[in-house]
Amino acid sequence: VSNAGVGMAGPLECQSLAAMQSLMDTNFFGLVRLVKEVLPDMKRRRGGHIVVISSIMGLQGIVFNDIYAASKFAVEGFCESLVVQALRFNVAISLVEPGPVTTEFEMKLYEEAERADYSRTDPETADIFTNLYLRNSRDVFASLGQTPEDIAEHTLRVIKAARPPFRHQTNAAYTPMAALKHADPSGALMTDAFYKLVFKYDAVLRLSLR
């Protein structure tokens, strides 16, 4: 089970390349290093199961989570490319894709974001992040957040499955969000829906979450 991960949220201009590279080294290359260690022996034994804790953000990018989503997209692409070869050796690969999970990790991330310096971006972007994104994120976590125990139960279910799924989403509330991308290959439907959700109907979103 690959579960190592770090988070990052905020305006792109305010994040250093060193911090981005460190995040990719943990979230993506940490998984690659692990798989390189365990896969050869699994192939020799012609049996095994690699379970990767990914994210719904590996399927759908979310505003102000550019680098974190990129790392999870990389995880998803890596596993999707590897799964067919692995199946030839009777090795299963499963991606567990949670939405928001209420942990100290997440709370610390948002507390740090509230105190951060946004002078390197323009005032409008800083205002959108602090007064729209952070406020809405707290409502999302309060309303839709799962506990770590929930994710552990989902992960156990995947491990024990007779035919392990390649993808397993833990929060049904996010299924429509992921479906938007597949409904319109041009991306216009998904982009328009998220733009309106963030900039036109954010008050309705907060009310519905509460």
Side-chain angles (χ1 to χ4, degrees):
V1 177
S2 174
N3 187 44
V6 293
M8 178 183 286
L12 185 67
E13 308 94 306
C14 300
Q15 297 162 348
S16 71
L17 280 174
M20 296 177 194
Q21 289 169 334
S22 177
L23 180 144
M24 292 296 293
D25 190 53
T26 298
N27 291 9
F28 175 60
F29 287 107
L31 168 64
V32 172
R33 286 192 290 269
L34 176 66
V35 172
K36 277 176 62 70
E37 288 295 323
V38 302
L39 186 61
D41 188 57
M42 289 181 174
K43 289 165 75 172
R44 279 191 293 271
R45 290 188 285 114
R46 302 194 84 85
H49 190 186
I50 298 169
V51 180
V52 181
I53 307 301
S54 180
S55 169
I56 196 69
M57 278 194 254
L59 299 175
Q60 172 65 62
I62 302 293
V63 63
F64 290 119
N65 283 268
D66 324 83
I67 305 305
Y68 179 79
S71 73
K72 292 301 184 178
F73 267 70
V75 164
E76 296 267 336
F78 173 71
C79 291
E80 193 169 288
S81 299
L82 196 60
V83 66
V84 174
Q85 180 206 144
L87 284 174
R88 177 69 178 177
F89 294 88
N90 195 37
V91 175
I93 296 177
S94 295
L95 289 157
V96 177
E97 298 163 334
V101 183
T102 305
T103 65
E104 290 183 12
F105 170 90
E106 297 290 350
M107 293 305 104
K108 182 180 178 185
L109 185 68
Y110 287 112
E111 286 171 5
E112 289 175 352
E114 288 177 345
R115 296 193 302 267
D117 175 16
Y118 299 112
S119 59
R120 282 175 292 173
T121 190
D122 58 278
E124 184 176 0
T125 299
D127 181 67
I128 292 167
F129 178 66
T130 55
N131 292 320
L132 277 181
Y133 174 81
L134 288 179
R135 183 172 55 177
N136 287 344
S137 292
R138 289 193 178 278
D139 289 342
V140 166
F141 271 84
S143 178
L144 301 177
Q146 293 177 275
T147 66
E149 290 76 15
D150 287 336
I151 307 306
E153 289 293 336
H154 278 273
T155 304
L156 182 61
R157 207 175 307 158
V158 168
I159 291 170
K160 294 171 71 174
R163 296 185 64 183
F166 175 58
R167 284 192 170 96
H168 176 82
Q169 293 174 27
T170 69
N171 194 326
Y174 284 82
T175 302
M177 183 179 81
L180 281 176
K181 180 180 279 190
H182 298 289
D184 175 15
S186 78
L189 178 63
M190 177 272 296
T191 304
D192 184 60
F194 274 85
Y195 182 88
K196 287 176 178 174
L197 194 64
V198 172
F199 294 113
K200 290 190 175 182
Y201 305 128
D202 67 294
V204 176
L205 171 65
R206 290 198 305 278
L207 185 63
S208 65
L209 287 169
R210 288 171 183 170

